[in-house]
Amino acid sequence: MKRWSRKSHLFMHFIAMCFVVVSFQVQAASQVSVFAKPVVLRGSLGNDQVEMQLRPKLDEPDSVEGSYIVFNGKRNHGNKIVVAGEVSGTKVTMEESEDGVDVCGQWDGVLHGSNFRGVWQSDDGKTKLDFNLEISKMKTPKTKHKARPSSKLH
């Protein structure tokens, strides 16, 4: 049986470490790319059902912005609540505002594939709710094609 030399052992360890680093970077890059285009997230915030739309901020590459609604008007009378925040690897942190000016809550979560889960808390920290949202690509509205006039002469 052939024994590994110390150099061979160190080389194999180095290759294994490179593989781990590259795998982590690919996973982190794929998580950030989830928000490279607009997405819709649907799921629960506490006992309520919500739908959130997020898109990348044009001027800040690792940032997102968007809005969400709570179904049945249980919060903010069914009006949109705006959100904005940062993405760092698989971690996403966003602040929210009901009036577009004052912060009224914060989302702290982690991406696992197409799942985004974590804890939402009110700005005063008195209310904390778990959230669990599934991500799907935003459907772009289909445009109707206008009929073109015929180029044939009568």
Side-chain angles (χ1 to χ4, degrees), residues 13-113:
H13 183 69
F14 173 75
I15 295 297
M17 291 301 294
C18 288
F19 178 75
V20 169
V21 169
V22 168
S23 295
F24 178 76
Q25 289 174 340
V26 167
Q27 179 183 6
S30 68
Q31 295 299 336
V32 172
S33 68
V34 167
F35 297 118
K37 294 183 179 180
V39 293
V40 173
L41 303 94
R42 293 183 183 96
S44 62
L45 170 60
N47 293 324
D48 296 323
Q49 293 299 304
V50 297
E51 179 179 283
M52 181 181 288
Q53 295 184 3
L54 291 176
R55 62 190 168 275
K57 280 188 176 180
L58 297 177
D59 55 341
E60 299 175 37
D62 295 332
S63 299
V64 292
E65 62 186 359
S67 63
Y68 75 97
I69 59 169
V70 179
F71 291 111
N72 299 324
K74 293 182 180 179
R75 185 157 168 242
N76 205 29
H77 308 289
N79 295 320
K80 289 183 179 181
I81 300 169
V82 296
V83 293
E86 298 178 359
V87 180
S88 178
T90 60
K91 185 177 179 185
V92 180
T93 302
M94 298 183 293
E95 293 181 334
E96 69 174 44
S97 175
E98 292 180 357
D99 63 7
V101 178
D102 298 316
V103 174
C104 62
Q106 181 165 324
W107 297 71
D108 291 309
V110 178
L111 289 166
H112 295 284

XYZ file of all heavy atoms in Angstrom, residues 13-113:
764
model
N -5.482 18.596 0.936
C -6.190 19.452 1.876
C -6.471 20.820 1.229
O -7.566 21.357 1.350
C -5.365 19.612 3.164
C -6.049 20.409 4.217
N -7.159 19.954 4.893
C -5.783 21.642 4.706
C -7.551 20.880 5.740
N -6.728 21.914 5.655
N -5.476 21.361 0.522
C -5.625 22.639 -0.170
C -6.734 22.543 -1.221
O -7.583 23.432 -1.322
C -4.291 23.033 -0.824
C -4.393 24.255 -1.696
C -4.500 25.522 -1.145
C -4.406 24.140 -3.079
C -4.601 26.652 -1.946
C -4.510 25.256 -3.883
C -4.610 26.514 -3.315
N -6.754 21.479 -2.001
C -7.782 21.287 -3.046
C -9.164 21.201 -2.398
O -10.122 21.809 -2.880
C -7.484 20.016 -3.883
C -6.189 20.188 -4.668
C -8.656 19.670 -4.796
C -6.223 21.303 -5.692
N -9.279 20.492 -1.292
C -10.566 20.362 -0.601
C -11.040 21.726 -0.099
O -12.222 22.066 -0.223
C -10.457 19.374 0.555
N -10.147 22.519 0.456
C -10.510 23.840 0.956
C -10.947 24.758 -0.194
O -11.907 25.508 -0.055
C -9.340 24.482 1.723
C -9.021 23.788 3.034
S -10.416 23.762 4.174
C -10.570 25.494 4.530
N -10.248 24.683 -1.321
C -10.640 25.482 -2.494
C -12.041 25.114 -2.947
O -12.846 25.981 -3.286
C -9.642 25.297 -3.633
S -8.053 26.096 -3.337
N -12.352 23.825 -2.937
C -13.674 23.364 -3.338
C -14.747 23.935 -2.412
O -15.788 24.394 -2.865
C -13.733 21.834 -3.338
C -15.078 21.293 -3.697
C -15.521 21.316 -5.009
C -15.921 20.788 -2.721
C -16.763 20.834 -5.347
C -17.170 20.306 -3.044
C -17.593 20.325 -4.362
N -14.498 23.926 -1.108
C -15.455 24.454 -0.142
C -15.677 25.948 -0.373
O -16.805 26.422 -0.391
C -14.975 24.189 1.310
C -15.810 24.959 2.319
C -15.018 22.705 1.608
N -14.596 26.705 -0.570
C -14.708 28.150 -0.786
C -15.480 28.441 -2.068
O -16.391 29.269 -2.086
C -13.315 28.814 -0.818
C -13.395 30.246 -1.309
C -12.674 28.759 0.562
N -15.163 27.759 -3.153
C -15.857 27.978 -4.430
C -17.329 27.589 -4.298
O -18.207 28.317 -4.767
C -15.167 27.196 -5.568
C -16.032 27.185 -6.810
C -13.809 27.798 -5.859
N -17.629 26.490 -3.626
C -19.018 26.076 -3.444
C -19.798 27.124 -2.670
O -20.933 27.454 -3.017
C -19.093 24.741 -2.690
O -18.516 23.728 -3.454
N -19.209 27.669 -1.608
C -19.869 28.699 -0.815
C -20.108 29.946 -1.653
O -21.176 30.530 -1.597
C -19.030 29.037 0.423
C -19.640 30.128 1.248
C -20.726 29.875 2.065
C -19.142 31.415 1.193
C -21.315 30.880 2.820
C -19.718 32.433 1.938
C -20.798 32.158 2.755
N -19.111 30.358 -2.446
C -19.263 31.557 -3.260
C -20.345 31.375 -4.312
O -21.112 32.281 -4.582
C -17.930 31.939 -3.912
C -16.928 32.479 -2.922
C -15.558 32.722 -3.546
O -15.235 32.177 -4.587
N -14.767 33.543 -2.875
N -20.422 30.200 -4.924
C -21.449 29.929 -5.922
C -22.821 29.959 -5.268
O -23.764 30.540 -5.797
C -21.196 28.574 -6.619
C -22.405 28.135 -7.420
C -19.969 28.671 -7.501
N -22.961 29.367 -4.063
C -24.238 29.371 -3.370
C -24.644 30.795 -3.015
O -25.776 31.194 -3.233
C -24.164 28.525 -2.100
C -25.472 28.510 -1.332
C -25.368 27.731 -0.034
O -24.305 27.289 0.360
N -26.491 27.588 0.631
N -23.727 31.591 -2.483
C -24.031 32.975 -2.113
C -24.407 33.788 -3.349
O -25.357 34.565 -3.325
C -22.850 33.619 -1.399
N -23.688 33.604 -4.442
C -23.983 34.337 -5.670
C -25.351 33.964 -6.205
O -26.096 34.822 -6.684
C -22.914 34.072 -6.723
N -25.736 32.690 -6.114
C -27.045 32.287 -6.616
C -28.151 32.860 -5.753
O -29.229 33.165 -6.237
C -27.150 30.762 -6.696
O -27.151 30.198 -5.402
N -27.903 33.027 -4.426
C -28.909 33.624 -3.567
C -29.115 35.087 -3.919
O -30.236 35.563 -3.984
C -28.496 33.491 -2.092
C -28.442 32.060 -1.601
C -29.779 31.346 -1.674
O -30.838 31.954 -1.673
N -29.732 30.042 -1.773
N -28.025 35.828 -4.122
C -28.141 37.240 -4.479
C -28.838 37.374 -5.827
O -29.648 38.263 -6.036
C -26.752 37.918 -4.495
C -26.847 39.324 -5.058
C -26.167 37.947 -3.098
N -28.568 36.459 -6.755
C -29.165 36.550 -8.083
C -30.671 36.346 -8.045
O -31.356 36.685 -9.003
C -28.507 35.561 -9.040
O -28.811 34.232 -8.671
N -31.216 35.816 -6.948
C -32.665 35.701 -6.806
C -33.300 37.075 -6.956
O -34.365 37.232 -7.527
C -33.037 35.082 -5.432
C -34.512 35.242 -5.135
C -32.633 33.622 -5.383
N -32.610 38.110 -6.456
C -33.130 39.471 -6.508
C -32.555 40.285 -7.660
O -32.674 41.499 -7.686
C -32.863 40.191 -5.187
C -33.561 39.548 -4.023
C -32.830 39.018 -2.984
C -34.940 39.474 -3.970
C -33.463 38.430 -1.899
C -35.587 38.886 -2.900
C -34.840 38.361 -1.862
N -31.919 39.631 -8.618
C -31.376 40.350 -9.774
C -32.498 40.891 -10.660
O -32.311 41.843 -11.398
C -30.467 39.433 -10.586
N -33.668 40.284 -10.563
C -34.851 40.718 -11.301
C -36.005 40.800 -10.306
O -35.934 40.214 -9.226
C -35.195 39.704 -12.402
C -34.142 39.628 -13.487
C -34.557 38.678 -14.564
C -33.486 38.643 -15.656
N -33.847 37.727 -16.723
N -37.072 41.498 -10.663
C -38.220 41.570 -9.753
C -38.776 40.188 -9.421
O -38.806 39.293 -10.275
C -39.249 42.387 -10.549
C -38.427 43.204 -11.485
C -37.263 42.320 -11.854
N -39.176 40.016 -8.160
C -39.755 38.754 -7.702
C -40.996 39.022 -6.863
O -41.173 40.108 -6.313
C -38.756 37.912 -6.868
C -37.605 37.416 -7.703
C -38.258 38.680 -5.669
N -41.840 38.010 -6.794
C -43.014 38.024 -5.922
C -42.783 36.974 -4.853
O -42.318 35.872 -5.140
C -44.303 37.696 -6.713
C -45.489 37.544 -5.778
C -44.575 38.765 -7.750
N -43.100 37.333 -3.605
C -42.979 36.413 -2.483
C -44.357 36.283 -1.853
O -45.038 37.287 -1.637
C -42.000 36.952 -1.433
C -40.598 37.264 -1.926
C -40.465 38.718 -2.323
C -39.586 36.932 -0.862
N -44.776 35.073 -1.570
C -46.083 34.841 -0.954
C -45.915 33.909 0.233
O -45.137 32.974 0.180
C -47.043 34.218 -1.959
C -47.413 35.122 -3.091
C -48.429 34.458 -4.027
N -48.712 35.319 -5.151
C -48.096 35.218 -6.332
N -47.174 34.312 -6.529
N -48.411 36.048 -7.310
N -46.671 34.197 1.280
C -46.620 33.317 2.433
C -47.209 33.964 3.665
O -48.119 34.784 3.573
N -46.641 33.604 4.826
C -47.217 34.046 6.090
C -46.299 34.994 6.847
O -45.077 34.880 6.810
C -47.522 32.835 6.964
O -46.327 32.135 7.268
N -46.945 35.928 7.522
C -46.307 36.833 8.474
C -47.139 36.683 9.735
O -48.256 37.193 9.812
C -46.315 38.277 7.961
C -45.890 39.363 8.947
C -44.465 39.127 9.442
C -46.012 40.735 8.314
N -46.614 35.939 10.712
C -47.440 35.579 11.860
C -48.591 34.728 11.371
O -48.388 33.751 10.653
N -49.832 35.120 11.708
C -51.022 34.386 11.263
C -51.626 34.963 9.991
O -52.639 34.475 9.515
C -52.088 34.381 12.372
C -51.645 33.579 13.571
O -50.983 32.553 13.438
N -51.995 34.055 14.757
N -51.031 36.031 9.467
C -51.575 36.694 8.284
C -50.896 36.212 7.005
O -49.727 35.846 7.011
C -51.390 38.215 8.385
C -52.179 38.815 9.536
O -53.303 38.335 9.799
O -51.670 39.766 10.157
N -51.652 36.261 5.910
C -51.112 35.952 4.591
C -50.692 37.257 3.920
O -51.425 38.249 3.977
C -52.157 35.227 3.734
C -52.484 33.831 4.255
C -51.260 32.941 4.257
O -50.611 32.742 3.239
N -50.914 32.399 5.419
N -49.505 37.241 3.311
C -48.981 38.447 2.666
C -48.473 38.118 1.268
O -48.162 36.967 0.956
C -47.831 39.093 3.489
C -48.330 39.544 4.846
C -46.647 38.172 3.628
N -48.398 39.167 0.458
C -47.744 39.078 -0.844
C -46.798 40.267 -0.945
O -47.206 41.401 -0.746
C -48.748 39.109 -1.981
C -48.061 39.051 -3.343
C -49.038 39.047 -4.491
O -49.638 37.985 -4.749
O -49.201 40.111 -5.114
N -45.533 39.977 -1.242
C -44.502 41.010 -1.320
C -43.911 41.015 -2.721
O -43.728 39.962 -3.324
C -43.403 40.700 -0.291
C -42.278 41.710 -0.245
S -41.001 41.267 0.988
C -41.869 41.613 2.513
N -43.632 42.209 -3.214
C -42.938 42.358 -4.491
C -41.630 43.082 -4.218
O -41.639 44.145 -3.597
C -43.785 43.138 -5.486
C -45.053 42.413 -5.861
C -45.857 43.145 -6.919
O -45.448 44.176 -7.431
N -47.007 42.585 -7.260
N -40.521 42.489 -4.651
C -39.203 43.094 -4.477
C -38.499 43.221 -5.807
O -38.694 42.392 -6.699
C -38.325 42.250 -3.539
C -38.721 42.195 -2.078
C -37.797 41.247 -1.318
C -38.694 43.579 -1.455
N -37.677 44.242 -5.923
C -36.864 44.458 -7.130
C -35.520 45.023 -6.675
O -35.414 45.620 -5.602
C -37.568 45.408 -8.089
C -37.792 46.790 -7.524
C -38.717 47.638 -8.404
N -39.119 48.834 -7.696
C -40.138 48.918 -6.849
N -40.867 47.847 -6.608
N -40.431 50.044 -6.239
N -34.495 44.851 -7.495
C -33.189 45.417 -7.121
C -33.226 46.941 -7.207
O -33.900 47.501 -8.063
C -32.241 44.837 -8.164
C -33.102 44.509 -9.334
C -34.452 44.158 -8.783
N -32.510 47.596 -6.297
C -32.348 49.049 -6.400
C -31.330 49.305 -7.496
O -30.278 48.673 -7.526
C -31.830 49.636 -5.091
C -32.872 49.840 -4.045
C -32.266 50.602 -2.890
C -33.264 50.936 -1.838
N -32.657 51.681 -0.725
N -31.633 50.211 -8.389
C -30.756 50.472 -9.523
C -29.425 51.099 -9.108
O -28.392 50.804 -9.675
C -31.458 51.369 -10.540
C -32.707 50.769 -11.175
C -33.360 51.773 -12.112
C -32.381 49.483 -11.908
N -29.450 51.948 -8.106
C -28.238 52.667 -7.716
C -27.410 51.957 -6.643
O -26.320 52.395 -6.321
C -28.593 54.082 -7.254
C -29.622 54.088 -6.139
O -30.320 53.079 -5.962
O -29.736 55.116 -5.443
N -27.935 50.861 -6.064
C -27.219 50.133 -5.020
C -27.295 48.637 -5.327
O -28.334 48.017 -5.139
C -27.830 50.435 -3.656
C -27.752 51.909 -3.279
C -28.479 52.218 -1.979
O -28.433 51.375 -1.063
O -29.077 53.295 -1.893
N -26.198 48.036 -5.785
C -26.229 46.662 -6.281
C -26.655 45.585 -5.274
O -27.248 44.600 -5.659
C -24.799 46.415 -6.766
C -23.974 47.487 -6.167
C -24.880 48.632 -5.855
N -26.381 45.757 -3.989
C -26.740 44.744 -2.992
C -27.974 45.138 -2.200
O -28.134 44.730 -1.050
C -25.565 44.504 -2.041
C -24.372 43.899 -2.750
O -24.577 43.194 -3.759
O -23.237 44.133 -2.307
N -28.852 45.929 -2.813
C -30.041 46.422 -2.125
C -31.304 46.082 -2.894
O -31.282 45.922 -4.105
C -29.952 47.939 -1.939
O -28.838 48.271 -1.158
N -32.408 45.971 -2.140
C -33.712 45.697 -2.735
C -34.718 46.711 -2.214
O -34.515 47.335 -1.173
C -34.209 44.271 -2.411
C -33.367 43.225 -3.103
C -34.260 44.028 -0.908
N -35.804 46.865 -2.968
C -36.906 47.726 -2.560
C -38.189 47.132 -3.102
O -38.173 46.316 -4.022
C -36.711 49.152 -3.078
C -36.673 49.247 -4.590
C -36.340 50.649 -5.087
O -36.164 51.560 -4.271
O -36.259 50.812 -6.313
N -39.291 47.539 -2.526
C -40.567 47.032 -3.000
C -41.686 47.350 -2.032
O -41.633 48.352 -1.311
N -42.680 46.466 -1.996
C -43.828 46.675 -1.124
C -44.499 45.335 -0.858
O -44.227 44.347 -1.524
C -44.816 47.641 -1.767
O -45.314 47.081 -2.969
N -45.385 45.347 0.137
C -46.192 44.154 0.389
C -47.560 44.575 0.904
O -47.768 45.711 1.329
C -45.507 43.194 1.363
C -45.500 43.585 2.820
C -46.451 43.071 3.698
C -44.530 44.444 3.339
C -46.438 43.413 5.044
C -44.512 44.781 4.671
C -45.473 44.262 5.527
O -45.456 44.594 6.851
N -48.491 43.637 0.806
C -49.830 43.849 1.345
C -50.162 42.681 2.265
O -49.667 41.569 2.087
C -50.915 43.985 0.249
C -50.959 42.728 -0.635
C -50.699 45.219 -0.592
C -52.167 42.673 -1.549
N -50.984 42.983 3.252
C -51.521 41.956 4.141
C -52.935 41.691 3.651
O -53.745 42.616 3.542
C -51.526 42.436 5.612
C -52.115 41.363 6.517
C -50.121 42.824 6.052
N -53.236 40.431 3.323
C -54.560 40.098 2.804
C -55.637 40.342 3.842
O -55.393 40.262 5.041
C -54.600 38.652 2.309
C -53.769 38.450 1.078
C -52.609 37.696 1.127
C -54.128 39.030 -0.123
C -51.836 37.526 -0.004
C -53.366 38.864 -1.269
C -52.208 38.102 -1.195
N -56.832 40.630 3.384
C -58.009 40.922 4.206
C -57.880 42.232 4.964
O -58.604 42.460 5.925
C -58.311 39.770 5.173
C -58.606 38.486 4.440
O -59.222 38.508 3.377
N -58.155 37.379 4.982
N -56.933 43.080 4.585
C -56.830 44.415 5.163
C -56.584 44.463 6.651
O -56.949 45.414 7.318
N -55.977 43.421 7.213
C -55.773 43.378 8.653
C -54.759 44.418 9.131
O -54.754 44.784 10.287
C -55.307 41.987 9.088
C -56.368 40.929 8.908
C -55.876 39.595 9.393
C -56.934 38.535 9.203
N -56.463 37.227 9.636
N -53.922 44.862 8.245
C -52.915 45.851 8.629
C -52.846 46.917 7.544
O -52.851 46.595 6.359
C -51.559 45.160 8.775
C -50.508 46.095 9.275
C -49.372 45.351 9.948
N -48.327 46.329 10.122
C -47.127 46.233 9.565
N -46.805 45.187 8.883
N -46.247 47.183 9.745
N -52.773 48.153 7.925
C -52.683 49.272 6.996
C -53.868 49.290 6.025
O -53.745 49.739 4.897
C -51.349 49.256 6.239
C -50.950 50.635 5.770
O -51.303 51.633 6.382
N -50.219 50.705 4.677
N -54.993 48.749 6.468
C -56.244 48.751 5.703
C -56.067 48.183 4.299
O -56.703 48.640 3.356
C -56.835 50.161 5.654
C -56.969 50.774 7.009
N -57.899 50.341 7.935
C -56.263 51.763 7.616
C -57.764 51.035 9.038
N -56.785 51.904 8.886
N -55.193 47.226 4.126
C -54.972 46.602 2.828
C -54.114 47.416 1.879
O -53.897 47.021 0.746
N -53.623 48.582 2.323
C -52.749 49.406 1.485
C -51.339 48.827 1.477
O -50.935 48.116 2.401
C -52.704 50.849 1.996
C -54.049 51.530 1.879
O -54.760 51.346 0.896
N -54.411 52.294 2.890
N -50.586 49.181 0.460
C -49.211 48.694 0.350
C -48.341 49.282 1.452
O -48.492 50.443 1.828
C -48.607 49.060 -1.003
C -49.189 48.276 -2.140
C -48.505 48.639 -3.440
C -49.081 47.815 -4.577
N -48.431 48.118 -5.854
N -47.445 48.451 1.947
C -46.440 48.861 2.923
C -45.106 48.772 2.187
O -44.778 47.727 1.625
C -46.462 47.934 4.149
C -47.846 47.982 4.812
C -45.352 48.319 5.130
C -48.073 46.917 5.862
N -44.351 49.856 2.140
C -43.097 49.867 1.382
C -41.963 49.279 2.217
O -41.936 49.417 3.444
C -42.721 51.280 0.869
C -43.752 51.777 -0.131
C -42.556 52.260 2.003
N -41.032 48.599 1.518
C -39.872 47.996 2.162
C -38.621 48.335 1.356
O -38.679 48.547 0.150
C -40.001 46.456 2.291
C -41.108 46.076 3.252
C -40.227 45.807 0.943
N -37.497 48.383 2.049
C -36.201 48.588 1.403
C -35.143 48.020 2.321
O -35.260 48.103 3.548
C -35.946 50.071 1.143
N -34.105 47.435 1.720
C -33.064 46.858 2.552
C -31.879 46.355 1.771
O -31.707 46.674 0.599
N -31.080 45.539 2.468
C -29.822 45.056 1.912
C -29.766 43.539 1.903
O -30.341 42.883 2.759
C -28.650 45.605 2.726
C -28.559 47.115 2.684
C -27.423 47.666 3.527
O -26.706 46.874 4.170
O -27.256 48.889 3.529
N -29.028 43.015 0.926
C -28.781 41.590 0.795
C -27.293 41.362 0.976
O -26.470 42.006 0.319
C -29.224 41.078 -0.591
C -28.964 39.590 -0.722
C -30.678 41.406 -0.856
N -26.934 40.449 1.876
C -25.537 40.105 2.105
C -25.425 38.589 2.138
O -25.764 37.960 3.142
C -25.051 40.711 3.421
O -23.719 40.338 3.668
N -25.000 38.005 1.012
C -24.967 36.542 0.920
C -26.382 36.011 0.939
O -27.193 36.351 0.081
N -26.720 35.218 1.957
C -28.078 34.684 2.084
C -28.916 35.479 3.082
O -30.079 35.197 3.257
C -28.042 33.210 2.512
O -27.386 33.106 3.777
C -27.322 32.354 1.488
N -28.325 36.470 3.730
C -29.035 37.271 4.735
C -29.674 38.493 4.089
O -29.049 39.195 3.300
C -28.080 37.710 5.833
C -28.771 38.433 6.956
C -27.833 38.792 8.074
C -28.617 39.526 9.145
N -27.803 40.013 10.210
N -30.936 38.754 4.454
C -31.671 39.906 3.940
C -32.241 40.674 5.134
O -32.881 40.093 6.009
C -32.828 39.485 3.010
C -33.578 40.701 2.489
C -32.312 38.631 1.870
N -31.971 41.980 5.173
C -32.499 42.859 6.217
C -33.201 44.025 5.539
O -32.619 44.676 4.678
C -31.366 43.390 7.121
O -30.676 42.277 7.690
C -31.907 44.264 8.220
N -34.467 44.256 5.921
C -35.246 45.338 5.316
C -35.997 46.113 6.396
O -36.427 45.531 7.388
C -36.275 44.778 4.326
C -35.688 44.029 3.163
S -36.947 43.477 1.987
C -37.849 42.272 2.950
N -36.155 47.407 6.156
C -37.026 48.234 6.978
C -38.301 48.473 6.190
O -38.307 48.418 4.968
C -36.357 49.562 7.314
C -35.164 49.406 8.227
C -34.513 50.732 8.578
O -34.624 51.699 7.783
O -33.875 50.793 9.643
N -39.376 48.765 6.911
C -40.650 49.019 6.239
C -41.271 50.311 6.744
O -40.937 50.797 7.826
C -41.615 47.871 6.452
C -42.111 47.743 7.872
C -43.187 46.685 8.012
O -43.040 45.588 7.445
O -44.176 46.970 8.698
N -42.175 50.849 5.918
C -42.878 52.074 6.267
C -44.290 52.021 5.710
O -44.485 51.676 4.548
C -42.143 53.290 5.697
O -42.872 54.475 5.937
N -45.256 52.362 6.555
C -46.650 52.411 6.102
C -46.967 53.720 5.393
O -47.850 53.776 4.552
C -47.597 52.201 7.275
C -47.519 50.800 7.844
C -48.460 50.571 9.011
O -49.160 51.524 9.432
O -48.505 49.436 9.501
N -46.240 54.796 5.743
C -46.519 56.100 5.144
C -45.430 56.555 4.172
O -45.486 57.641 3.623
C -46.728 57.165 6.226
C -45.495 57.394 7.092
O -44.413 56.839 6.795
O -45.626 58.133 8.091
N -44.403 55.713 3.968
C -43.328 56.065 3.049
C -42.269 56.961 3.666
O -41.312 57.340 2.991
N -42.426 57.316 4.937
C -41.486 58.213 5.598
C -40.928 57.583 6.880
O -39.728 57.429 7.039
C -42.156 59.573 5.937
C -41.184 60.478 6.670
C -42.674 60.243 4.681
N -41.823 57.241 7.802
C -41.412 56.728 9.104
C -41.273 55.205 9.095
O -42.155 54.497 8.586
C -42.436 57.129 10.175
C -42.546 58.635 10.314
O -41.497 59.301 10.333
O -43.688 59.138 10.391
N -40.176 54.701 9.667
C -39.959 53.262 9.777
C -40.896 52.702 10.834
O -41.003 53.255 11.937
C -38.483 52.956 10.136
C -38.293 51.467 10.400
C -37.556 53.425 9.028
N -41.595 51.618 10.499
C -42.526 51.019 11.456
C -42.242 49.542 11.709
O -42.926 48.905 12.507
C -43.964 51.218 11.003
S -44.358 50.446 9.433
N -41.235 48.980 11.039
C -40.913 47.577 11.270
C -39.654 47.166 10.541
O -39.121 47.918 9.718
N -39.163 45.973 10.890
C -37.943 45.456 10.265
C -38.079 43.961 9.995
O -38.613 43.219 10.804
C -36.739 45.697 11.180
C -35.444 45.208 10.557
C -34.224 45.745 11.270
O -34.208 46.869 11.741
N -33.195 44.915 11.347
N -37.576 43.552 8.831
C -37.531 42.159 8.410
C -36.083 41.690 8.491
O -35.204 42.289 7.885
C -38.006 42.017 6.975
C -39.432 42.410 6.719
C -39.942 43.669 6.721
C -40.501 41.539 6.416
N -41.277 43.636 6.434
C -41.649 42.340 6.244
C -40.611 40.159 6.273
C -42.890 41.800 5.936
C -41.848 39.636 5.959
C -42.977 40.437 5.796
N -35.818 40.614 9.213
C -34.496 39.983 9.263
C -34.682 38.531 8.884
O -35.341 37.776 9.611
C -33.888 40.083 10.671
C -33.507 41.500 11.030
O -32.799 42.130 10.227
O -33.923 41.973 12.105
N -34.120 38.141 7.734
C -34.341 36.781 7.276
C -33.178 36.214 6.497
O -32.189 36.892 6.224
N -33.335 34.940 6.150
C -32.316 34.195 5.429
C -32.974 33.490 4.249
O -34.089 32.981 4.359
C -31.644 33.154 6.354
C -30.618 32.331 5.608
C -31.003 33.843 7.551
N -32.273 33.490 3.122
C -32.728 32.780 1.923
C -32.224 31.347 1.944
O -31.047 31.101 2.216
C -32.180 33.460 0.672
C -32.765 34.807 0.328
C -31.901 35.496 -0.714
C -34.179 34.652 -0.185
N -33.119 30.420 1.652
C -32.774 29.004 1.468
C -33.420 28.586 0.158
O -34.608 28.257 0.142
C -33.302 28.136 2.610
C -32.695 28.424 3.937
N -31.430 28.002 4.278
C -33.170 29.090 5.012
C -31.160 28.399 5.499
N -32.198 29.073 5.976
N -32.674 28.660 -0.943
C -33.262 28.363 -2.252
C -34.321 29.389 -2.579
O -34.052 30.578 -2.624
